[in-house]
Amino acid sequence: MKRTLMAFLLLGGLALAQADGAKLYAQCAGCHQANGQGIPGAFPPLAGHVAEILSKQGGREFLIQVMLWGLQGSTEVKGMKYNGAMPGFNGLKDEEIAAILNHIATAWGDDKKVQGFKPFTAAEVKALREKKLTPQQVLAERQKLGLK
């Protein structure tokens, strides 16, 4: 009984120590909406589009770069054109960025559309944090993926 209780307390403590991607996503929902559908013509959808990005070689890195450094310029998602700016969130901790990315990859089933999806890790974010980019350079990375 003591072992079970200790294991439960340890696992519960670990869960509390991990960043809550759904709660952190609340600061993204103003633009991308709680359901990930965005606002047509103003803010692009994430639902469905994240799977498209993740299916591209370099897509994981690109999503981390967008979260860290933002994105600015003309894009097209699902046939709708957008020309705006997303701020970077490099003030967040690595584990918080990973948690948000895991939330947007799983909340609307995009992870199920990508073969071999693996959760984002704080180590991945940390590795890319060292290479600072401008939002325009992040847009250039998007273009390299073959996304409009």
Side-chain angles (χ1 to χ4, degrees):
M1 178 73 164
K2 283 185 179 180
R3 281 189 183 172
T4 304
L5 182 58
M6 282 300 280
F8 180 74
L9 290 173
L10 179 63
L11 290 174
L14 287 174
L16 288 174
Q18 291 179 345
D20 185 337
K23 283 184 182 174
L24 290 165
Y25 178 76
Q27 61 191 323
C28 310
C31 296
H32 295 289
Q33 303 300 291
N35 62 4
Q37 294 301 312
I39 299 173
F43 305 107
L46 298 174
H49 186 53
V50 170
E52 181 184 3
I53 296 169
L54 287 172
S55 70
K56 303 282 188 178
Q57 186 174 354
R60 287 178 72 85
E61 293 82 4
F62 168 72
L63 288 171
I64 294 169
Q65 291 168 336
V66 170
M67 285 296 303
L68 284 170
W69 313 118
L71 179 77
Q72 184 173 353
S74 181
T75 60
E76 186 175 318
V77 178
K78 298 182 180 182
M80 178 78 58
K81 292 185 189 269
Y82 299 88
N83 191 10
M86 177 181 148
F89 291 92
N90 55 34
L92 294 176
K93 296 175 185 170
D94 296 338
E95 56 270 10
E96 291 173 323
I97 289 176
I100 292 170
L101 289 169
N102 286 322
H103 175 73
I104 67 169
T106 60
W108 310 291
D110 285 62
D111 58 322
K112 308 257 186 295
K113 300 173 188 170
V114 178
Q115 186 175 8
F117 172 78
K118 292 180 182 156
F120 287 88
T121 66
E124 285 178 283
V125 177
K126 182 179 181 179
L128 288 173
R129 187 182 288 276
E130 295 173 14
K131 182 184 177 191
K132 293 187 164 115
L133 299 174
T134 67
Q136 295 82 6
Q137 288 171 317
V138 175
L139 177 65
E141 293 298 315
R142 176 185 171 82
Q143 292 162 343
K144 289 179 190 175
L145 295 177
L147 300 168
K148 295 182 181 181

